Amino acid sequence: MKKKYILWTALCSMFALASCESVLDKTDLGAADPDLVSGDSVLANLSLNYIYNQNLPDWGGYTTISGLGSSTYTEESYNQGSSQNKYLEGAIAENDVTDFGTALNATNNYGKIRTINSFISDLQQNPKMDAGAKNRLLAQAYFFRAWRYFELVKLYGGVPLVLTPQNAVGIENREATFLPRNTTSQCVKQISADLDSAAKYLPATWASPAANWGRITKGGALALKGRLLLYAASPQFNPTDVNTKWQASYDANKAAYDALTANGSKLIADYAKIWFTESGNTEAVFVTGYNISVGDQQRRNSGWEASNRPKYSTVSGGGSNLPSWDMVKAYPMKDGKKPGDSKYAYSDLLFFKDRDPRFEKTIAYNGCTWPMSNVPNNRLWTYYAAGKSVENGGVNFSFTGFYCKKALQTSDVAGSTLDQSNTIYSGTDWQEIRFAEVMLNYAESAAGVGKLDEAYTQLINIRKRAGIEAGSDNLYGLKANMSRAEMFKAILDERQVEFAFEGKRFWDLRRWRLLESTLNGSKGTKVQINLKTTGVPADFATSRDGMKLEDVYTNYFTIALTPNALMSRTAINYLPKYYFFAIPTSAIDNNPLLKQNDGWTNGAFNPLE
């Protein structure tokens, strides 16, 4: 897969040097001299690329130190282990969510913000640089400052807004850095202002798009503002359903949608191929680039491929993100209706039959065709025979009976070169925001202000791309004349399926204050498909690949549904106070002006203000 990773191509295209690596070897991008940065656009771009590398989210959208957002925190996968998970078990204490950061460290959130603030300050004081070039550099820095603060606010609510570099040397200077928390509404206002500044000066499309693949665009800034204001309007931050917050969200998300569509953004035709187009990908809005380099200097490989393949050996996969039965049941039928409400019959035994096409493109299950390792007709078998999994001889098999195959390369992906020996060098890019999210953010905001026709339009277009049948009413399985509450539920259900295993589900449930009602009291469900003990052909193990899958299940398998035995410690018990985590006690001890969130020990800060 060809790669255009921004740190390297931007440098090479700007600076005719014999070796990109030699410059990066010798230049401390985090501590470049301010005079050099402000006076030289090349070095300014180097410093900006350092900010990109510090702040771009990892595969799966992981941007929090605590690692929240993975499938194990929701019904996508549940906790696939017997060790304690404090979030799931209601055991989080004041010092467990440490993203706030207290140490003088360039890699924690406020350390990264300081780097961004220093970059902004140095450039603003520069009278030499061309105004257009300077504003484009500043705009990208404003975007990442907004990104960092948004990630903090969604965890804690309001945090101290630091917008200039602070000097903590000396007692007086150190005491001057003791800042109280700004209110959540003040933080949202500042983040919005930074994104407005970014959008004002960023291009809709960068010149030389291939060389600048991954750089933030005007549409990317507007899309992040839309996500921010959707959070601000959602019940986590807006429990009294204030209409003006929904209106602000609607205005921002419609603006993002309009700007992106005007510049050619649209859904990729094939849901399975979203991840395998780089420069020119019409669905990609906010992207983290990865490459297939094996060199020390340029290497930035994606871990997604290796972590999700079956765990048959150290080079083939980690068996992560194992879908639960609950996630399998979440998919509608191919007419867009829920199982039981569809014209298509549903049974647990034939769970795979007549489902939403996104099911086949996301979930690998017993007997499915999964062309791994460039074997086009490879079939996956995870059933049990005589009480033992037949998968890999009963060693390192799926504990739920399923695998996640979203964004994994196969022989049907043009240019796929991955086999069992080189999956660790995957270069598949992560799309933190893709156009489908912009559409659904717009739909949800439209529902919030009562524009249900606009919400219908976006939902229908998402389902049309998925391959769901239109139906006689052309509603693609959606209920006609939904109420506002019904539309909200339909959109949340659509997001669960559309963004499965993309790190969105936990945050959606959290912003809608649905963690307890959706998950508490459960351990999740696993499926075990068992080979019958009688009537099975003696050559079944060699003849099964040639049989029709429906017949195989009907004639030779039974299915058993049981609680997720691996999560043996306790049922899920999310607590209401987790909607705003505690500021770490160490941070409060370090800064006497900080107040703790309501609901935690000595809490006096209202994160809803």
Side-chain angles (χ1 to χ4, degrees), residues 361-405:
K361 296 173 180 180
T362 306
I363 309 286
Y365 58 90
N366 178 62
C368 76
T369 300
W370 190 9
M372 292 185 297
S373 307
N374 296 303
V375 181
N377 296 315
N378 178 69
R379 292 181 78 173
L380 174 73
W381 296 103
T382 63
Y383 65 86
Y384 282 65
K388 181 180 179 179
S389 175
V390 301
E391 187 183 4
N392 195 42
V395 179
N396 291 330
F397 56 91
S398 170
F399 294 116
T400 68
F402 303 101
Y403 288 99
C404 172
K405 63 178 179 180

Side-chain angles (χ1 to χ4, degrees), residues 69-191:
S70 72
S71 63
T72 59
Y73 295 97
T74 73
E75 75 276 49
E76 284 183 337
S77 182
Y78 292 107
N79 184 33
Q80 298 300 327
S82 58
S83 59
Q84 184 182 32
N85 184 310
K86 290 184 177 181
Y87 297 93
L88 298 182
E89 298 177 23
I92 289 292
E94 276 77 0
N95 283 316
D96 286 328
V97 183
T98 58
D99 295 70
F100 190 87
T102 56
L104 186 60
N105 189 323
T107 63
N108 67 27
N109 277 303
Y110 276 103
K112 293 175 181 179
I113 289 169
R114 177 181 173 81
T115 299
I116 296 168
N117 284 338
S118 295
F119 178 86
I120 291 170
S121 177
D122 294 339
L123 275 185
Q124 286 176 331
Q125 297 173 39
N126 170 38
K128 305 174 185 177
M129 189 179 295
D130 171 76
K134 180 166 69 173
N135 284 334
R136 285 189 294 274
L137 291 167
L138 288 171
Q140 294 166 82
Y142 288 135
F143 175 90
F144 282 112
R145 186 167 69 181
W147 174 246
R148 284 267 67 87
Y149 274 118
F150 172 58
E151 290 296 295
L152 284 169
V153 168
K154 77 179 188 181
L155 288 173
Y156 302 109
V159 295
L161 286 171
V162 183
L163 304 177
T164 57
Q166 293 181 305
N167 184 2
V169 177
I171 295 176
E172 290 185 1
N173 285 332
R174 181 175 183 275
E175 291 180 350
T177 66
F178 293 158
L179 298 176
R181 296 174 68 178
N182 289 84
T183 64
T184 302
S185 59
Q186 287 171 336
C187 289
V188 170
K189 183 177 179 180
Q190 178 59 48
I191 297 168

Side-chain angles (χ1 to χ4, degrees), residues 26-48:
K26 298 173 183 177
T27 305
D28 180 353
L29 300 181
D33 185 284
D35 291 335
L36 291 175
V37 170
S38 62
D40 191 310
S41 62
V42 172
L43 291 180
N45 271 282
L46 281 172
S47 290
L48 179 64

Side-chain angles (χ1 to χ4, degrees), residues 297-364:
Q297 289 295 318
Q298 296 192 41
R299 178 176 175 178
R300 186 180 173 90
N301 304 150
S302 164
W304 183 256
E305 186 84 33
S307 67
N308 283 276
R309 287 190 176 212
K311 193 176 182 179
Y312 296 157
S313 71
T314 57
V315 296
S316 49
S320 298
N321 294 301
L322 300 177
S324 71
W325 176 251
D326 307 70
M327 185 65 216
V328 168
K329 288 291 292 287
Y331 284 83
M333 307 302 285
K334 66 182 181 181
D335 63 355
K337 304 289 187 182
K338 295 285 188 182
D341 296 331
S342 169
K343 67 181 181 182
Y344 294 102
Y346 172 83
S347 70
D348 285 345
L349 179 63
L350 300 179
F351 60 86
F352 55 87
K353 185 181 178 184
D354 296 325
R355 303 301 292 276
D356 177 335
R358 288 172 292 190
F359 174 83
E360 286 282 347
K361 296 173 180 180
T362 306
I363 309 286

Side-chain angles (χ1 to χ4, degrees), residues 435-475:
F435 190 60
E437 183 190 343
V438 176
M439 295 170 68
L440 289 175
N441 290 352
Y442 173 23
E444 189 172 331
S445 302
V449 295
K451 296 179 181 291
L452 298 182
D453 56 335
E454 295 180 40
Y456 268 108
T457 297
Q458 299 307 318
L459 267 180
I460 285 171
N461 286 334
I462 290 286
R463 289 185 154 213
K464 184 184 296 185
R465 187 272 294 275
I468 288 175
E469 296 171 351
S472 59
D473 56 4
N474 287 314
L475 289 177

